[in-house]
Amino acid sequence: MTAENPTGPLGGHLDDDDFPAYTMGRAAEMLGTTQGFLRAIGEARLITPLRSEGGHRRYSRYQLRIAARARELVDRGTPIEAACRIVILEDQLEEAQRINAEYRRAAESASPTAAA
């Protein structure tokens, strides 16, 4: 098996943060929480798990990181709906900062240098 021609059950998705590799039971176990918690953050629209062909929820590593952040807030006493909203806003802020940094770099590279 090589990196150019991956084989196996995951078909080369081992490094893909968005690949839905984890069942609900395994995800809950990894997070140290209950399946009910995962359902609740799904109902709050924090994460939307993909479904297997049999209709079972499947979670990606990215979704597990988001769920872990929500659990951290809930463990500190934040209501689940508020925790989900906080995580969504944190994610939006991070994306906006990334976009602003890209615009800044593009503007700097397009403007003439001051030393010239």
Side-chain angles (χ1 to χ4, degrees):
M1 173 168 59
T2 65
E4 295 82 29
N5 188 18
T7 61
L10 296 179
H13 295 287
L14 288 174
D15 293 331
D16 185 352
D17 268 358
D18 295 318
F19 183 72
Y22 304 98
T23 63
M24 177 180 270
R26 180 68 178 128
E29 179 183 316
M30 291 171 69
L31 294 171
T33 190
T34 64
Q35 292 181 15
F37 175 79
L38 291 173
R39 283 188 205 95
I41 62 174
E43 290 170 10
R45 297 185 182 175
L46 178 60
I47 58 176
T48 303
L50 293 175
R51 298 284 182 150
S52 69
E53 289 182 18
H56 301 282
R57 291 175 179 89
R58 305 286 289 193
Y59 297 88
S60 68
R61 286 190 306 218
Y62 174 74
Q63 289 173 325
L64 294 184
R65 283 195 301 273
I66 289 175
R69 176 66 179 131
R71 180 171 185 247
E72 188 179 295
L73 292 168
V74 169
D75 286 350
R76 291 183 188 167
T78 306
I80 196 162
E81 296 83 12
C84 290
R85 185 67 183 141
I86 289 168
V87 173
I88 289 167
L89 290 170
E90 287 174 342
D91 195 49
Q92 289 173 344
L93 175 61
E94 183 179 323
E95 178 67 8
Q97 289 172 331
R98 184 191 63 74
I99 291 168
N100 284 341
E102 286 178 13
Y103 285 147
R104 220 174 287 117
R105 282 190 298 273
E108 289 170 358
S109 67
S111 67
T113 59

